Amino acid sequence: MLNVRETRWSDPTVASEVTPPLDIEHEWTQNGPTGRPLPTFPEPQPLASHGPARIIAMCNQKGGVGKTTTTINLGAALVEAGRRVLLVDFDPQGALSVGLGVPTHSLDTTIYDLLVSRGHDIGEIIQRTSVEGLDVAPANIDLSAAEVQLVGEVAREQILSRVLRPVVDDYDVILIDCQPSLGLLTVNALTAAHGVIIPLETEYFAMRGVALLVETIDKITDRLNPALNIDGILGTMYDGRTLHSREVVESVVEHFGDKVFHTVISRTVKFPDATLAAEPITTYATGHSGANAYRQLARELISRGGSP
């Protein structure tokens, strides 16, 4: 198998592409589902210490594209790679919390209370999950009132950033599961984040809104958060047997190039099964192709510089 040196790489902390360090090599295999040569991403090196966290917003204004599934399973895969991860449920539907076994209906304090009141600390609401090293800051339907209540606040776009500040040094990665809209909650997530991952269902109508989302990200980068970068666009619910899925992926790569992850998440019933069991697919069906896909995504994210 031929080893070739990767000629360019994308650093999420800068806008332009730069030449990689001389010791970065990838072993290239046959073309992957994105139509590009698929590199074999190396196993991540262990960390000598934890923190400060890189904050990543999982964002797409269209619902049902795999944001919550990706937040849970990418987080679990990063934990397997030796990272400490906090998942922040920032969707009033509370699907992330439910998907990790948190009884959202009986919670006295959630991320909502931290946004609208200074009398709480995020340490009060963080809960451990069944996966050691993977924690969650839960939400429930109360969060739906936050946008209205925050409208009159000073620096209302930066409230989540303030809420997360006390625990940034305790984790390596903080993943924020955003609601399917481009409202004030999503703007808060993007203002607090260093990077954005855009899960994109490999279906034509899902692709139409990505340009609007990228435009919103550009505005936030320009006005609120100059450090914000798009870490990547992730194809989800992919079915390689259909011409439609393949054409959508081809079109996304044509428009966004290297911003598109090489990793693609295929559609499988194991994802809803794992959600029903309230655990990530990496523990529910550890040898399944879906679990391995998220492990590959974690390796790819780390190799891109999107995670410590």
Side-chain angles (χ1 to χ4, degrees):
M1 190 172 295
L2 181 64
N3 287 321
V4 296
R5 189 174 301 278
E6 188 181 35
T7 57
R8 301 181 73 81
W9 73 313
S10 295
D11 184 341
T13 63
V14 294
S16 60
E17 292 186 323
V18 296
T19 304
L22 293 179
D23 60 346
I24 292 182
E25 291 188 355
H26 281 307
E27 181 181 350
W28 296 91
T29 60
Q30 72 277 8
N31 284 358
T34 65
R36 299 167 294 174
L38 180 64
T40 301
F41 299 103
E43 288 297 325
Q45 294 298 310
L47 299 176
S49 61
H50 297 289
R54 190 168 189 278
I55 303 173
I56 301 172
M58 201 70 62
C59 188
N60 191 324
Q61 76 271 26
K62 187 180 185 301
V65 299
K67 289 188 298 295
T68 301
T69 298
T70 296
T71 304
I72 292 173
N73 293 302
L74 174 58
L78 287 168
V79 167
E80 282 191 359
R83 277 61 183 165
R84 292 194 62 188
V85 179
L86 173 65
L87 307 182
V88 178
D89 194 343
F90 218 50
D91 185 346
Q93 298 177 67
L96 174 71
S97 305
V98 172
L100 289 168
V102 177
T104 57
H105 60 280
S106 61
L107 294 174
D108 294 325
T109 309
T110 66
I111 195 76
Y112 162 76
D113 298 281
L114 276 64
L115 295 175
V116 301
S117 170
R118 285 185 174 270
H120 300 280
D121 182 89
I122 191 169
E124 298 175 30
I125 71 166
I126 289 177
Q127 299 198 20
R128 307 290 182 254
T129 71
S130 60
V131 179
E132 186 175 354
L134 183 68
D135 299 339
V136 58
N140 58 22
I141 194 62
D142 292 347
L143 188 59
S144 60
E147 291 206 20
V148 175
Q149 293 180 256
L150 295 178
V151 166
E153 292 288 329
V154 176
R156 57 185 178 270
E157 301 91 354
Q158 299 171 355
I159 294 175
L160 179 62
S161 182
R162 171 182 60 79
V163 166
L164 295 177
R165 199 172 298 137
V167 295
V168 165
D169 289 336
D170 298 333
Y171 297 94
D172 301 307
V173 181
I174 297 176
L175 295 175
I176 306 171
D177 184 26
C178 298
Q179 66 174 346
S181 83
L182 295 179
L184 185 54
L185 290 179
T186 299
V187 171
N188 257 268
L190 294 174
T191 304
H194 302 103
V196 187
I197 293 176
I198 305 174
L200 175 67
E201 182 184 3
T202 52
E203 193 269 340
Y204 172 70
F205 288 111
M207 189 176 68
R208 295 179 65 192
V210 174
L212 176 61
L213 176 57
V214 171
E215 182 181 325
T216 300
I217 292 169
D218 288 341
K219 288 179 180 177
I220 290 172
T221 303
D222 183 51
R223 302 173 188 178
L224 293 168
N225 184 6
L228 183 64
N229 287 274
I230 297 177
D231 286 341
I233 298 172
L234 174 68
T236 62
M237 303 181 187
Y238 177 74
D239 187 347
R241 300 169 299 178
T242 67
L243 178 62
H244 183 73
S245 274
R246 297 196 301 271
E247 287 181 339
V248 168
V249 170
E250 180 181 336
S251 179
V252 173
V253 171
E254 181 180 334
H255 282 86
F256 296 101
D258 289 340
K259 287 293 185 186
V260 182
F261 284 108
H262 287 276
T263 304
V264 171
I265 308 300
S266 296
R267 189 185 299 272
T268 171
V269 72
K270 287 295 183 182
F271 289 129
D273 286 350
T275 300
L276 191 62
E279 59 180 301
I281 194 172
T282 52
T283 58
Y284 177 78
T286 187
H288 192 269
S289 59
N292 290 330
Y294 276 109
R295 292 183 182 110
Q296 177 178 303
L297 177 62
R299 293 194 300 270
E300 181 172 2
L301 182 66
I302 292 169
S303 72
R304 283 175 174 240
S307 167

